[in-house]
């Protein structure tokens, strides 16, 4: 008997040494040497050599029941912060599956020791593995061979009953080469784990080599891609699911390593259940909207029509209440208001029922505030409804309604100086452009349309609301006027959407043929005239003086007119500013 007990002890000690020196041995009283006898009892020998009789079946049951607590206590001992809880829980779960199948107490204790050794390797991975019997045991990847899912791969969509391609890009982010990688998806009959039909006995694929970072190649060049063409089950739910892949490979030292790679897919089911097997929540969404009229202008009424859809294929929705809530505008609490107000006073709409996968249109007449800026405004749709089992649900969605603000452009009376020119002469045209609206004007420019004049184009740029653009252009006569002398000025601008608007103004400007002064003579005529009339020189002198005086008078008139124009422009801008202030005051009173 003593020899048999000592042989059992020696076997346990040897097993512990093989599995790793970091495993703590179970106490002596946990080692049992079973001996069958007539009354189904076994004898154990304690440290003092005394023999005791026990029930093997009860001892085995007790050992199995205490195994979970023993491993959990050991987990708290080696991982007090819970940093490796996920990996350790996985080790414990797998160990308990084996322990529950054990037939002897010694087997239970041996597997507890093995599980503790695996837990030690999770918390403190061994630097190298010299024991030939442990070479094939899985070991966590270290910094020299770190595999991960590479690249920003688009999440595949698996529709119920249809085929989908699952691509797994694998890249080695460690330093050294990895070889002989075998990648196997984790299969399951549970659709929440594996939502595909199992049509093959093996789904493993191999990668001959995965270069490390020491090659100097980019992550993209070192990446290897594996593809599985899978048939989605017809009874899958809807949602996102994680697909796991077990990877076993050899590092640069030839040692066997393993890791797990995860990727995600989007599943579109038709069974009316979620990815976790629970009943799906009926969703009502807004698929689009229309407005009548198509363009919504500030200060005008319009009809908003929303297109609703019940996306659920499992239940209809009933007793729906839709509340339309427009965005709130304003700079402070005293001037805030809704961008759109219902003309009937109520913004709530009742819908009795929307069938499974059915649609429904709802309409509401709204009025856009007159002082809205030209931009899109959000409208929230708050929905509450019930399913066929009278379960209550709520949902919220939004639409964006563009609002246009009519542009108001005023042009001052153009000043043309002079109003008649000869061919080759120039005339100056000046006027102002006023932005009287609430929206900004873009790329404001002026062009002159005439067959007898050249020049006259000007680019003003952008004009903010209330701003003024000054136009000062010169026109040159190219040919004599043959019509009524009316010249067209085209003033164009763009709104925020890039749509161009053109307005026209007309001015009167005549072009005449070049005339020559009859008083100009050639040298011989001047000499003859001097000989005939000595008093002629006095007359010419008088004409020259008169011409100079007339030139000075013209210059003075031009200066006076330009000063008068600037004064009138300043007065007009002051009037516009006063008008804007009065409008803002009226808006404040209305608010």
């Amino acid at each position: 008997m003593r020899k048999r007990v000592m042989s059992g002890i020696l076997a346990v000690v040897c097993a512990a040494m093989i599995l790793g020196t970091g495993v703590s041995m179970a106490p002596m009283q946990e080692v049992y040497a079973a001996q069958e006898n007539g009354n189904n009892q076994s004898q154990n020998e304690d440290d003092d050599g005394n023999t005791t009789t026990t029930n093997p079946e009860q001892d085995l049951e007790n050992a199995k029941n205490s195994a979970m607590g023993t491993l959990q206590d050991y987990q708290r001992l080696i991982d007090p912060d819970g940093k490796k809880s996920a990996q350790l829980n996985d080790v414990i779960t797998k160990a308990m599956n084996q322990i529950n199948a054990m037939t002897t107490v010694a087997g239970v204790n041996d597997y507890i020791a093995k599980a503790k050794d695996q837990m030690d390797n999770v918390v403190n991975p061994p630097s190298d593995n010299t024991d030939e019997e442990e070479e094939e045991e899985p070991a966590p990847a270290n910094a020299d061979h770190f595999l991960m899912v590479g690249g920003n791969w688009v999440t595949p969509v698996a529709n119920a009953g249809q085929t989908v391609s699952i691509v797994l890009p694998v890249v080695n982010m460690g330093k050294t080469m990895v070889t002989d990688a075998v990648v196997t998806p984790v299969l399951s009959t549970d659709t929440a784990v594996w939502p595909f039909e199992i049509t093959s006995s093996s789904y493993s694929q191999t990668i001959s080599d995965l270069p490390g970072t020491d090659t100097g190649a980019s992550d993209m060049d070192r990446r290897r891609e594996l593809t599985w063409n899978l048939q989605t089950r017809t009874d899958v739910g809807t949602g996102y699911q994680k697909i796991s892949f077990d990877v076993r490979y050899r590092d640069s030292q030839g040692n066997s390593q393993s890791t797990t790679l995860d990727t995600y897919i989007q599943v579109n089911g038709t069974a009316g259940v979620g990815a976790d097997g629970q009943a799906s929540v009926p969703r009502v969404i807004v698929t689009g909207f229309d407005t009548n009229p198509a363009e919504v202008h500030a200060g005008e009424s319009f009809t908003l029509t929303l297109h609703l859809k019940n996306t659920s294929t499992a239940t209809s929705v009933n007793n729906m209440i839709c509340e339309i809530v427009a965005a709130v505008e304003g700079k402070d609490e005293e001037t805030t208001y809704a961008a759109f107000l219902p003309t009937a006073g109520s913004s709530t709409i009742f819908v009795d029922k929307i069938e499974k996968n059915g649609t429904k249109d709802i309409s509401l007449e709204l009025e856009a505030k007159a002082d809205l800026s030209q931009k899109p405004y959000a409208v929230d749709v708050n929905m509450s409804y019930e399913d066929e089992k009278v379960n209550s649900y709520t949902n919220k969605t939004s639409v964006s309604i563009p609002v246009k603000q009519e542009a108001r452009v005023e042009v001052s009376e153009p000043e043309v100086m002079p109003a008649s020119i000869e061919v080759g002469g120039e005339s100056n045209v000046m006027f102002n452009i006023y932005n009287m609206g609430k929206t900004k004007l873009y790329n404001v420019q002026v062009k002159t349309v005439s067959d007898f004049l050249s020049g006259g184009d000007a680019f003003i740029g952008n004009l903010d609301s209330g701003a003024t653009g000054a136009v000062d252009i010169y026109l040159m006569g190219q040919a004599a006027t043959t019509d009524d002398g009316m010249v067209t000025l085209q003033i164009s601008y763009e709104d925020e959407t890039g749509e161009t608007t053109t307005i026209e103004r007309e001015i009167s400007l005549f072009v005449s043929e070049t005339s020559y002064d009859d008083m100009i003579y050639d040298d011989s005529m001047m000499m003859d005239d001097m000989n005939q009339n000595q008093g002629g020189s006095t007359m010419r002198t008088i004409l020259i003086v008169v011409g100079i005086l007339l030139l000075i008078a013209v210059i003075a008139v031009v200066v006076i007119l330009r000063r008068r124009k600037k004064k009138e422009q300043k007065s007009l801008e002051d009037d516009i500013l006063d008008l804007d202030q009065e409008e803002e005051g009226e808006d404040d009173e209305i608010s």
Side-chain angles (χ1 to χ4, degrees):
M1 177 65 68
R2 182 179 300 273
K3 290 182 179 180
R4 185 173 299 176
V5 172
M6 293 304 296
S7 299
I9 296 175
L10 182 59
V12 173
V13 173
C14 292
M17 293 177 64
I18 293 174
L19 294 173
T21 57
V23 179
S24 58
M25 292 297 297
M28 184 65 186
Q29 58 268 25
E30 294 185 3
V31 181
Y32 296 90
Q35 180 181 9
E36 297 183 359
N37 51 32
N39 56 6
N40 196 25
Q41 291 182 344
S42 62
Q43 293 181 342
N44 296 325
E45 195 172 89
D46 57 19
D47 294 340
D48 297 330
N50 298 322
T51 301
T52 60
T53 301
T54 61
N55 188 331
E57 294 181 358
Q58 185 63 40
D59 292 340
L60 178 61
E61 187 67 23
N62 293 338
K64 290 181 179 180
N65 292 337
S66 63
M68 174 66 79
T70 301
L71 294 177
Q72 290 178 342
D73 290 342
Y74 193 71
Q75 176 183 357
R76 297 185 185 96
L77 176 65
I78 63 176
D79 186 32
D81 297 330
K83 296 181 179 180
K84 301 288 185 178
S85 59
Q87 297 94 317
L88 294 176
N89 288 337
D90 186 57
V91 172
I92 294 175
T93 301
K94 293 179 179 179
M96 289 305 301
N97 290 335
Q98 296 295 329
I99 289 174
N100 289 331
M102 293 294 176
T103 58
T104 64
V105 174
V108 171
N109 293 330
D110 289 345
Y111 212 91
I112 290 176
K114 179 178 180 179
K116 288 183 177 180
D117 183 53
Q118 293 176 349
M119 295 167 69
D120 287 334
N121 290 338
V122 170
V123 177
N124 298 303
S127 57
D128 60 334
N129 194 350
T130 57
D131 197 320
E132 293 183 356
E133 295 183 10
E134 292 184 347
E135 280 188 359
E136 298 302 326
E137 291 294 328
N142 58 36
D144 289 336
H145 40 91
F146 175 63
L147 305 187
M148 63 177 293
V149 178
N152 297 324
W153 201 262
V154 177
T155 301
V157 179
N159 297 311
Q162 298 182 11
T163 303
V164 64
S165 295
I166 306 298
V167 179
L168 182 69
V170 183
V171 62
N172 177 16
M173 300 303 295
K175 296 180 181 179
T176 58
M177 174 77 72
V178 166
T179 58
D180 301 330
V182 179
V183 183
T184 305
V186 179
L187 305 182
S188 175
T189 57
D190 186 359
T191 58
V193 178
W194 182 254
F196 307 108
E197 299 285 354
I198 302 178
T199 59
S200 176
S201 59
S202 176
Y203 288 87
S204 298
Q205 296 190 41
T206 60
I207 302 175
S208 59
D209 62 272
L210 284 167
T213 57
D214 57 359
T215 61
S218 65
D219 295 346
M220 182 64 69
D221 292 337
R222 293 184 289 105
R223 187 176 70 179
R224 304 291 185 265
E225 295 177 1
L226 300 176
T227 303
W228 286 265
N229 294 318
L230 304 171
Q231 179 73 23
T232 308
R233 293 175 55 168
T234 57
D235 58 345
V236 294
T238 298
Y240 289 90
Q241 289 189 229
K242 180 176 71 173
I243 305 297
S244 299
F245 297 84
D246 289 335
V247 184
R248 181 177 289 273
Y249 57 95
R250 293 190 179 276
D251 59 21
S252 58
Q253 303 297 324
N255 298 323
S256 177
Q257 307 286 349
S258 67
T259 187
T260 300
L261 300 180
D262 297 325
T263 187
Y264 290 85
I265 64 170
Q266 180 182 358
V267 182
N268 291 332
T270 58
V273 296
D276 57 355
Q278 300 297 321
S280 63
V281 176
R283 302 291 184 186
V284 179
I285 63 173
V286 176
T287 59
F289 72 94
D290 297 319
T291 59
N292 185 21
E295 289 189 354
V296 178
H297 293 270
E300 297 181 0
S301 299
F302 65 97
T303 300
L304 173 64
T305 301
L306 299 173
H307 308 304
L308 306 180
K309 179 180 176 62
N310 177 15
T311 61
S312 175
T313 59
T315 179
S316 62
V317 295
N318 308 294
N319 300 326
M320 173 182 289
I321 296 178
C322 299
E323 183 182 9
I324 312 299
V325 181
V328 176
E329 295 295 315
K331 297 181 180 179
D332 53 59
E333 295 181 356
E334 297 180 356
T335 60
T336 56
Y337 50 82
F340 309 113
L341 296 176
T343 57
S346 175
S347 59
T348 302
I349 302 174
F350 176 77
V351 178
D352 57 349
K353 185 176 183 179
I354 303 179
E355 296 290 346
K356 305 173 184 177
N357 203 30
T359 60
K360 180 81 73 173
D361 290 348
I362 59 174
S363 298
L364 182 66
E365 187 176 5
L366 301 171
E367 181 180 357
K369 294 286 290 183
D371 55 351
L372 294 179
S373 301
Q374 181 166 302
K375 66 177 183 180
Y377 290 87
V379 174
D380 294 332
V381 183
N382 299 323
M383 296 175 285
S384 59
Y385 48 89
E386 300 172 351
D387 62 11
E388 295 176 350
K389 297 181 179 180
V390 200
N391 297 315
S392 298
Y393 303 94
T394 59
N395 193 18
K396 179 180 179 180
T397 186
S398 299
V399 296
S400 183
I401 301 177
V403 174
K404 287 185 174 292
Q405 180 68 249
E406 290 292 346
R408 294 174 52 199
V409 178
E410 297 290 341
V411 179
S412 65
E413 187 66 27
E415 297 182 10
V416 183
M417 296 182 298
S420 178
I421 59 175
E422 298 177 349
V423 175
E426 285 187 339
S427 178
N428 181 217
V429 180
M430 295 182 295
F431 60 93
N432 292 326
I433 302 174
Y434 306 103
N435 183 4
M436 307 288 289
K438 297 289 186 180
T439 183
K440 186 176 182 179
L441 305 180
Y442 297 88
N443 299 324
V444 181
Q445 52 187 324
V446 178
K447 291 186 177 181
T448 303
V449 180
S450 175
D451 296 334
F452 313 104
L453 299 166
S454 63
D457 295 345
F459 181 78
I460 311 304
N462 301 335
L463 288 181
D464 292 326
S465 176
T468 300
V471 180
D472 188 354
I473 57 178
Y474 286 89
L475 302 176
M476 177 178 291
Q478 296 295 320
T481 301
T482 59
D483 53 16
D484 56 358
M486 300 305 294
V487 179
T488 301
L489 300 177
Q490 293 183 343
I491 304 165
S492 63
Y493 57 87
E494 298 176 1
D495 60 14
E496 292 183 350
T497 63
E499 183 178 353
T500 302
T501 302
T502 302
I503 58 177
E504 295 184 351
R505 292 292 185 271
E506 289 187 340
I507 60 172
S508 178
L509 178 59
F510 287 89
V511 181
S512 60
E513 295 288 353
T514 304
S515 61
Y516 297 94
D517 192 348
D518 294 339
M519 298 303 295
I520 300 176
Y521 305 96
D522 57 19
D523 293 343
S524 60
M525 293 175 63
M526 291 178 64
M527 292 300 296
D528 293 341
D529 186 66
M530 290 176 63
N531 293 333
Q532 294 177 3
N533 188 3
Q534 294 293 330
S537 60
T538 302
M539 181 59 68
R540 285 194 297 272
T541 302
I542 294 173
L543 292 175
I544 293 172
V545 172
V546 172
I548 293 174
L549 292 176
L550 288 175
L551 180 60
I552 294 174
V554 171
I555 294 174
V557 170
V558 172
V559 173
I560 292 172
L561 289 176
R562 287 192 175 184
R563 290 181 177 177
R564 182 179 299 172
K565 174 189 173 183
K566 291 182 178 179
K567 184 175 181 181
E568 291 176 354
Q569 178 180 342
K570 176 62 175 177
S571 177
L572 181 57
E573 291 177 352
D574 293 339
D575 293 342
I576 293 173
L577 181 60
D578 294 339
L579 181 59
D580 290 342
Q581 292 177 350
E582 290 177 2
E583 291 180 355
E584 292 178 358
E586 292 176 359
D587 292 341
D588 293 339
E589 291 178 1
I590 294 174
S591 301

